[in-house]
Amino acid sequence: MSAHQALTQLVPLAAKELDENKVTPGVLGFIVFAVMAAGVWLLMKSMNRHMGKVDFEEAPEAPEPAAATGAESTPGKSAR
């Protein structure tokens, strides 16, 4: 018996027992949701810990020597 034949025989059984007004996610749905929520919580906790380690201070920009003196150098030519 193939898988397709087995599924076609089981579909009428499922349709008889299914009450569309009483469908709930059940225990498995709650477990999946709880695991996902715990995973997100752990990721946020880890992100906050890593962001706390970041010490970023922007250094002031130093003027470029060529721009400060007004001399322009062209590529390929050497200064003599």
Side-chain angles (χ1 to χ4, degrees), residues 1 19 33-34 40 42 45 47 49 59-61 66 68 71 73-76:
M1 180 182 283
D19 184 10
F33 182 78
V40 169
L42 288 171
K45 189 174 180 180
M47 184 191 70
R49 192 172 346 143
E61 291 184 19
S73 64
T74 57

Side-chain angles (χ1 to χ4, degrees), residues 24-75:
T24 62
V27 175
L28 179 63
F30 174 75
I31 291 171
V32 169
F33 182 78
V35 167
M36 288 176 54
V40 169
W41 181 74
L42 288 171
L43 283 172
M44 292 293 292
K45 189 174 180 180
S46 174
M47 184 191 70
N48 282 334
R49 192 172 346 143
H50 281 80
M51 292 299 286
K53 292 179 183 178
V54 174
D55 184 25
F56 178 75
E57 291 182 15
E58 189 170 340
E61 291 184 19
E64 295 180 13
T69 60
E72 294 183 21
S73 64
T74 57

